[in-house]
């Protein structure tokens, strides 16, 4: 078994001796182990691909060897056929040789019969012939014998030539088959050597792969052990966070309880105030004929609502200062322009809800706040007494109301000196 790398041993030691409360060294060691595992996985993958490639190449070699085996079998079959044919030719040659010997024997007999006559003819030169008929018969007989001898001689020559040609052709074919078989056997030996080399390389790759897999198992086991420690640390921190959250929620709940109690007391107090206010009826506000010049309306300016009660008076020195008056009115009470003017603002204003601001000329402005709705557009000119909106919820009064300001040169002035006196 391959030894564990030094880096893995150090990481395991850190994992075993590190204090659980100190998370950074454990995290760094885990990161190092994960890098080690990633690298080892890459090695295993590379070796697997290499092994797969070698098996593929080996399969190709085995296919080539199978083809060569078939080729060798064919050559051996061809050689066996040639050897069988050679044996047949040998039998044929033996038969031809027997025929040749028989023919030679017949030829010898003929020559033995012919030789005395030939010698007699040479010595007597026809003097022993008794008649021409005898001479003609002997000549005809001798000619036939000579012809037969010639035929036998020609048969022997042709048989020898055919036999020699057949044996040469058979020998050539046999030599060629043996040469091809030897070449195929050489290829087979070469491929067998390649196959043995591939098997050796596959065994080496497989051995290295198994070693890497063992190393990967060790690294993953170390990571799992380290993750267990980190999980325990995370659980401890989560428990601390839960306890802290519960304490915070308890604190907020206590604050909410106190706030609710304070609001309850305030509402109780407000209810008492409202009960006191309910004893009073809304007073009608005086009105005067509209005039376009604001400067001449001091003390005679119409109120912005027809009926209402003043609940908040002008007091610039208060904290926070009151720069206008707060009127308690009925819900949906029409709000009207106190003088001829032009709309320079009709929108929501922070702390005042929906607001309409009119400029009246001579640097006079009037402001109408906490409206439920507005009925004028920006830039529109309005007449005195024209409805510009309806009263909405006035937070400070805890009910429907209107906040009204009057300004001169952008400075708030006490509306009491301008509005018509109440009767």
């Amino acid at each position: 078994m391959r030894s564990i790398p030094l880096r893995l041993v150090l990481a395991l030691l850190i994992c075993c001796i590190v204090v659980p409360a100190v998370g950074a060294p454990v995290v760094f060691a885990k990161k190092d182990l994960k890098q080690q595992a990633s690298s080892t996985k890459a090695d295993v993958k590379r070796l697997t691909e290499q092994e797969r490639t070698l098996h593929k190449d080996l399969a190709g070699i085995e296919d080539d060897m199978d083809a060569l085996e078939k080729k060798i079998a064919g050559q051996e079959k061809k050689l066996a056929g040639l050897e069988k044919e050679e044996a047949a030719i040998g039998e044929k040659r033996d038969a031809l040789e027997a025929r040749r010997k028989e023919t030679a024997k017949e030829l010898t007999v003929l020559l033995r019969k012919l030789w005395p006559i030939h010698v007699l003819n040479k010595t007597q030169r026809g003097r022993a012939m008794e008649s021409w008929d005898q001479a003609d018969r002997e000549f005809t007989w001798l000619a036939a014998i000579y012809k037969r001898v010639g035929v036998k001689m020609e048969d022997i020559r042709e048989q020898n030539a055919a036999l020699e040609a057949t044996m040469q052709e058979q020998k050539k074919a046999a030599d060629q088959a043996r040469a091809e078989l030897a070449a195929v056997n050489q290829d087979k030996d070469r491929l067998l050597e390649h196959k043995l080399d591939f098997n050796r390389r596959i065994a080496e790759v497989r051995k290295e792969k198994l070693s890497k897999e063992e190393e990967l198992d060790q690294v993953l086991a170390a990571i799992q052990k380290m993750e267990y420690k980190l999980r325990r640390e995370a659980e401890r921190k989560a428990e601390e966070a839960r306890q802290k959250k519960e304490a915070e929620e308890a604190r907020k709940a206590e604050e909410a309880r106190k706030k609710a109690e304070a609001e309850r007391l305030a509402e109780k107090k407000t209810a008492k105030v409202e009960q006191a206010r309910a004893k009073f009826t809304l007073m009608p506000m005086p009105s005067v004929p509209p005039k376009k010049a604001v400067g001449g309306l001091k003390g005679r300016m119409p109120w912005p609502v027809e009926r209402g009660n003043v609940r908040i008076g002008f007091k610039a020195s208060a904290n926070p200062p009151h720069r206008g008056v707060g009127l308690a009115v009925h819900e949906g009470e029409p709000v009207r322009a106190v003088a001829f003017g032009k709309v320079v603002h009709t929108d929501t204003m922070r702390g005042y809800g929906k607001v309409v601001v009119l400029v009246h000329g001579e640097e006079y402005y009037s402001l109408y706040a906490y409206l439920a709705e507005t009925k004028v557009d920006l830039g529109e000119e309005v007449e005195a007494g024209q409805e510009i909106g309806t009263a909405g919820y006035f937070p400070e009064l805890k009910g429907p109301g209107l906040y009204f300001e009057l300004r001169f040169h952008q400075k708030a002035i006490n509306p009491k000196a301008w509005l018509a006196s109440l009767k």
Side-chain angles (χ1 to χ4, degrees):
M1 181 181 293
R2 186 173 179 179
S3 60
I4 302 176
L6 178 59
R7 184 168 60 177
L8 176 59
V9 175
L10 292 176
L12 288 171
L13 289 175
I14 292 174
C15 178
C16 293
I17 66 174
V18 68
V19 179
V22 183
V26 179
V27 173
F28 292 149
K30 180 181 176 183
K31 182 178 180 182
D32 187 45
L33 284 175
K34 284 191 174 181
Q35 290 176 350
Q36 174 76 10
S38 177
S39 175
T40 307
K41 283 182 181 178
D43 290 339
V44 171
K45 183 178 180 181
R46 174 181 58 80
L47 291 170
T48 301
E49 291 295 331
Q50 187 176 350
E51 182 182 10
R52 187 178 293 113
T53 302
L54 288 173
H55 276 296
K56 188 182 296 183
D57 294 341
L58 181 60
I61 291 177
E62 289 178 345
D63 291 340
D64 293 341
M65 289 189 68
D66 291 340
L68 284 175
E69 290 286 355
K70 292 180 181 178
K71 188 175 181 180
I72 289 172
Q75 291 294 330
E76 290 177 344
K77 185 177 180 180
K78 182 178 179 182
L79 184 60
L82 289 173
E83 289 176 349
K84 186 176 181 180
E85 184 179 350
E86 185 179 11
I89 291 174
E91 292 177 359
K92 183 178 179 181
R93 181 193 61 190
D94 293 341
L96 288 173
E97 182 66 22
R99 285 183 59 193
R100 190 182 65 80
K101 287 182 180 181
E102 184 65 28
T103 302
K105 184 177 179 181
E106 292 177 0
L107 184 60
T108 300
V109 172
L110 290 173
L111 289 176
R112 283 178 181 175
K113 290 180 179 181
L114 190 61
W115 179 253
I117 298 173
H118 177 71
V119 174
L120 182 62
N121 286 336
K122 285 290 186 182
T123 56
Q124 295 185 2
R125 294 190 179 276
R127 290 193 295 273
M129 300 293 178
E130 296 179 357
S131 64
W132 284 105
D133 292 335
Q134 183 181 358
D136 184 57
R137 284 195 301 271
E138 290 183 357
F139 179 78
T140 300
W141 179 73
L142 288 172
I145 292 175
Y146 277 120
K147 183 178 180 180
R148 186 176 179 184
V149 170
V151 170
K152 293 294 183 183
M153 293 290 288
E154 182 64 22
D155 288 344
I156 290 174
R157 187 186 65 77
E158 289 178 357
Q159 290 170 3
N160 286 337
L163 183 60
E164 181 66 23
T166 301
M167 293 183 66
Q168 288 295 330
E169 182 180 357
Q170 190 274 336
K171 184 177 182 300
K172 182 180 179 181
D175 291 342
Q176 182 180 357
R178 290 188 180 92
E180 290 179 358
L181 182 61
V184 171
N185 281 327
Q186 288 180 357
D187 290 340
K188 181 179 178 182
D189 293 339
R190 177 178 55 80
L191 288 175
L192 182 60
E193 184 179 353
H194 283 337
K195 181 177 179 180
L196 293 175
D197 181 62
F198 269 99
N199 284 330
R200 178 185 57 78
R201 290 169 59 188
I202 288 173
E204 292 177 354
V205 170
R206 188 170 295 157
K207 182 179 179 181
E208 185 179 357
K209 178 184 174 182
L210 290 175
S211 176
K212 288 291 184 181
E213 287 175 345
E214 290 177 357
E215 180 181 339
L216 179 61
D217 290 340
Q218 294 167 356
V219 173
L220 292 177
I223 290 176
Q224 187 176 6
K225 186 175 181 181
M226 190 169 295
E227 285 179 344
Y228 172 75
K229 288 183 174 291
L230 290 174
R231 188 165 56 251
R232 291 291 300 274
E233 175 67 12
E235 290 174 354
R236 184 187 64 81
K237 290 183 177 180
E239 179 63 21
E240 292 180 353
R242 186 187 63 79
Q243 294 177 358
K244 184 177 180 181
K245 181 179 179 181
E246 289 179 353
E248 180 67 16
E249 289 177 350
R251 183 186 64 79
K252 289 182 177 179
E254 180 63 19
E255 290 181 353
R257 188 191 64 78
K258 291 179 178 180
K259 182 179 179 181
E261 180 65 17
E263 289 178 352
R264 187 184 66 80
L265 294 175
E267 288 178 357
K268 186 176 181 181
K269 182 178 180 181
T270 302
K272 291 181 178 180
V273 173
E274 290 296 329
Q275 289 176 0
R277 287 179 177 177
K279 296 178 180 179
F280 301 96
T281 57
L282 296 178
M283 298 175 60
M285 299 296 182
S287 60
V288 296
K291 291 185 178 181
K292 293 187 177 181
V294 176
L297 293 177
K298 190 172 184 178
R300 299 186 305 111
M301 180 179 288
W303 287 74
V305 290
E306 292 182 357
R307 299 181 69 83
N309 293 327
V310 178
R311 298 298 189 190
I312 301 174
F314 178 87
K315 191 174 183 180
S317 60
N319 187 19
H322 296 163
R323 296 186 176 91
V325 293
L327 304 175
V329 298
H330 291 298
E331 185 176 358
E333 179 76 17
V335 177
R336 305 180 185 280
V338 295
F340 171 83
K342 186 175 183 180
V343 180
V344 294
H345 179 89
T346 173
D347 202 351
T348 301
M349 185 179 294
R350 184 177 180 182
Y352 292 92
K354 291 182 179 180
V355 175
V356 170
V357 177
L358 303 179
V359 59
H360 301 284
E362 301 175 339
E363 298 296 327
Y364 285 96
Y365 296 86
S366 59
L367 179 146
Y368 312 81
Y370 300 116
L371 301 177
E373 60 176 342
T374 60
K375 297 186 177 183
V376 291
D377 297 322
L378 186 65
E380 180 182 347
E381 291 184 347
V382 296
E383 297 292 337
Q386 180 178 336
E387 184 178 351
I388 60 174
T390 57
Y393 181 77
F394 197 149
E396 199 169 347
L397 298 181
K398 304 290 184 179
L402 172 69
Y403 176 76
F404 175 74
E405 279 190 13
L406 193 62
R407 290 177 175 265
F408 179 65
H409 291 289
Q410 297 296 327
K411 182 178 179 181
I413 56 178
N414 191 348
K416 187 177 180 180
W418 289 80
L419 294 170
S421 299
L422 298 174
K423 295 181 179 179

